[in-house]
Amino acid sequence: MLPLSALDERVTSCRACPRLVAWREEVARVKRAAFRDQEYWGRPVPGFGPADASLAIIGLAPAAHGANRTGRMFTGDRSGDFLYAAMHAVGLATQPTATHVGDGLELIGTRITAPVKCAPPENKPTPEERDNCRPWLIRELELLRPTLRAVLVLGAFGWQAALPVLAACWQVPRPRPAFGHGAHVELPAQDGGAPLHLFGCYHVSQQNTFTGKLTQPMLQHVLRAAATAAGLATIE
């Protein structure tokens, strides 16, 4: 089986979805005025974090002028600012900000990924695009399987996309568990190994954070619960 670094490299050259390829490259060419002097990544964005992570955080897809610009998950936009501030506060990141690749940020026992690797128009991938991308996440979690003990999913879309992926290694009950902020389900392993703790959290979108639907204390509480289930030490 490919090492995780090799899988990440393959992800960056994927062109399976014509609509997403056209959009991500158009955004990278036209750019936002504030970033006109920067070279955009404009490709699929691989996961970020150590290959022996015990906690995985699953989002939705790269932001057009965030990860699609910087090439790293949740880096360079306000959603990432909110997420990494919380991760740093609970001890899962070495610094509270993520501005660009090479800014010194490291994740502690945690890997961040997404079910869709390319920035979609209006942040809305189609079901077909989600399904096209599914094998990448399946392989990624299979490679993390020896150490992975908990998964935190951000948002209902990510939750629905993650459940079929998790079913490749763990037993997902039927009916499938419903998404909710603070939802927690323990999934037995298919191979008789350690179970997986699955947590839900509202997405760190500006729509949620600006309106107060998701606050820093709410996010930090769920992060601590997921990290504890994964066997990671946290900061109170």
Side-chain angles (χ1 to χ4, degrees):
M1 186 178 289
L2 287 173
L4 193 55
S5 58
L7 179 68
D8 288 345
E9 184 64 29
R10 288 195 176 186
V11 165
T12 65
S13 60
C14 182
R15 301 182 67 84
C17 302
R19 187 182 79 114
L20 297 188
V21 171
W23 173 251
R24 78 191 190 208
E25 293 180 356
E26 178 185 357
V27 170
R29 182 176 61 256
V30 176
K31 305 180 181 180
R32 177 173 283 172
F35 308 124
R36 66 168 61 94
D37 296 330
Q38 298 184 19
E39 181 177 352
Y40 274 55
W41 172 256
R43 288 182 278 165
V45 180
F48 169 50
D52 61 350
S54 56
L55 170 62
I57 297 175
I58 298 177
L60 192 165
H65 302 281
N68 187 58
R69 172 173 59 90
T70 63
R72 193 175 70 189
M73 286 289 176
F74 283 106
T75 298
D77 60 32
R78 290 185 177 181
S79 295
D81 293 343
F82 195 89
L83 175 62
Y84 287 121
M87 292 182 67
H88 180 258
V90 304
L92 298 177
T94 58
Q95 61 190 45
T97 57
T99 56
H100 62 278
V101 174
D103 60 8
L105 173 66
E106 295 181 8
L107 304 187
I108 301 169
T110 306
R111 183 171 171 88
I112 297 180
T113 187
V116 177
K117 306 299 186 186
C118 294
E122 299 180 346
N123 292 320
K124 294 179 180 179
T126 67
E128 181 181 8
E129 290 161 352
R130 174 201 63 200
D131 294 346
N132 283 347
C133 216
R134 182 175 293 158
W136 293 121
L137 188 55
I138 289 176
R139 291 171 197 157
E140 187 174 8
L141 295 186
E142 285 175 344
L143 289 169
L144 292 172
R145 173 70 185 98
T147 58
L148 192 64
R149 297 295 178 265
V151 168
L152 173 60
V153 182
L154 303 175
F157 179 95
W159 183 272
Q160 293 302 321
L163 290 177
V165 173
L166 296 174
C169 293
W170 295 274
Q171 299 174 34
V172 177
R174 289 190 176 277
R176 288 178 174 175
F179 172 77
H181 182 79
H184 177 204
V185 183
E186 185 173 324
L187 307 179
Q190 299 275 20
D191 58 8
L196 184 78
H197 292 268
L198 173 64
F199 292 85
C201 177
Y202 292 142
H203 196 277
V204 289
S205 66
Q206 292 183 52
Q207 180 179 357
N208 287 340
T209 60
F210 283 8
T211 61
K213 182 176 182 179
L214 179 65
T215 64
Q216 275 289 321
M218 290 169 65
L219 177 55
Q220 291 177 27
H221 179 78
V222 178
L223 281 169
R224 284 193 185 91
T228 298
L232 297 171
T234 62
I235 300 171
E236 293 299 328

